[in-house]
Amino acid sequence: MSNITGYRRPLAGTQPDYLFPPYASTVKRAPTKPLVMLRHSLSETTGPVFGHDDLQPTDHDLTRQHTGEPIGERIIVSGRVLDEDGRPVPHTLIEIWQANSAGRYPHRADQHDAPTDPNFTGFGRALTDAAGAYRFVSIKPGEYPWRNHYNAWRPAHIHFSLFGPAFATRLVTQMYFPGDPLLPYDPMFNCVPDERARNRLISAFDLESTIPEIALGYRFDIVLRGPEETPMETKR
Ligand SMILES: [Fe+2]
């Protein structure tokens, strides 16, 4: 067997803590014993991966997946996936999911008192191009209550999942919007201890990708490793 070098571990404080009591679910799911650190192995990057051949023309445009247009403010979310040296990561499958403009998911578990939208599912997929770039068209998601504590509301956010070259290389994170007044109160956002790392989860308003009279542009670059690494809630 060949000699395999492990990946570099993230810098301290730049990734969410497993246990963050203000975020109530972490109390139940955080490990109670020290983790056993295993060496990375070849199987983590050589397994099968799905989805690359299954992209449909409207997968990246969440406003065109039904017969009518969804209610809400149209947005363009674009950016690049980069490695620790700023090199683009091409052909990466990005999946996003989000609430509708009223802050409601079309899921039976979501009984929040807000309307569903028959023209909005809130799920999209895109591949990064040769320059590591991706682009989604969507509507701005609404804030929603989540009962973590009294009067708890999630800031507007879009969930992101990135697949690398195998099932074992999946990353999950969330993108937020600049100036959201709920961010200081959100335990999920604040469970990343390092402030600079935390702020990398906030997209930037982007006039360049804004389409006149159509949609506002937001830019969200995702860095996979190194000092500028994007905080991830799930890594495997
Ligand atoms: Fe959510």
Side-chain angles (χ1 to χ4, degrees):
M1 188 172 157
S2 58
N3 206 7
I4 296 162
T5 310
Y7 305 123
R8 194 188 304 161
R9 302 288 178 189
L11 296 180
T14 63
Q15 298 294 316
D17 290 327
Y18 289 116
L19 177 63
F20 189 70
Y23 178 6
S25 310
T26 68
V27 176
K28 289 185 180 170
R29 70 177 178 223
T32 55
K33 295 181 180 171
L35 296 183
V36 178
M37 301 301 277
L38 298 177
R39 289 192 64 192
H40 291 113
S41 69
L42 199 59
S43 63
E44 289 180 324
T45 53
T46 55
V49 70
F50 73 94
H52 292 70
D53 300 327
D54 297 331
L55 285 183
Q56 302 299 314
T58 60
D59 278 1
H60 77 287
D61 188 342
L62 287 70
T63 68
R64 293 198 298 130
Q65 296 174 347
H66 298 275
T67 51
E69 279 206 275
I71 300 291
E73 176 189 339
R74 279 188 223 98
I75 57 173
I76 308 294
V77 177
S78 62
R80 294 207 296 162
V81 180
L82 303 166
D83 71 12
E84 70 265 52
D85 297 319
R87 288 177 300 216
V89 181
H91 311 303
T92 289
L93 178 68
I94 301 180
E95 296 178 317
I96 62 169
W97 60 101
Q98 63 164 91
N100 69 21
S101 61
R104 178 92 187 252
Y105 287 100
H107 190 280
R108 64 182 182 280
D110 185 350
Q111 296 300 315
H112 166 208
D113 181 17
T116 54
D117 185 339
N119 291 312
F120 192 73
T121 305
F123 178 75
R125 290 145 59 94
L127 273 181
T128 57
D129 65 15
Y134 71 89
R135 181 177 181 273
F136 289 101
V137 182
S138 190
I139 51 104
K140 191 167 182 190
E143 302 83 357
Y144 59 80
W146 64 305
R147 296 182 179 172
N148 180 76
H149 53 275
Y150 174 71
N151 216 4
W153 291 79
R154 293 297 331 280
H157 61 277
I158 298 177
H159 298 268
F160 272 69
S161 161
L162 285 77
F163 273 104
F167 277 125
T169 53
R170 185 185 183 206
L171 303 172
V172 178
T173 190
Q174 296 184 32
M175 183 203 98
Y176 298 93
F177 291 86
D180 193 319
L182 291 169
L183 286 171
Y185 304 100
D186 184 49
M188 241 187 263
F189 175 68
N190 288 297
C191 68
V192 179
D194 183 274
E195 186 182 5
R196 281 191 63 232
R198 199 159 62 230
N199 288 337
R200 290 200 283 273
L201 296 173
I202 304 173
S203 59
F205 171 68
D206 182 30
L207 195 59
E208 202 171 311
S209 60
T210 293
I211 305 173
E213 299 179 41
I214 299 290
L216 293 185
Y218 290 91
R219 185 166 185 83
F220 185 56
D221 290 337
I222 298 163
V223 181
L224 300 184
R225 290 180 294 273
E228 300 300 317
E229 181 174 350
T230 304
M232 298 289 170
E233 58 193 48
T234 304
K235 282 188 161 200
R236 68 174 196 221

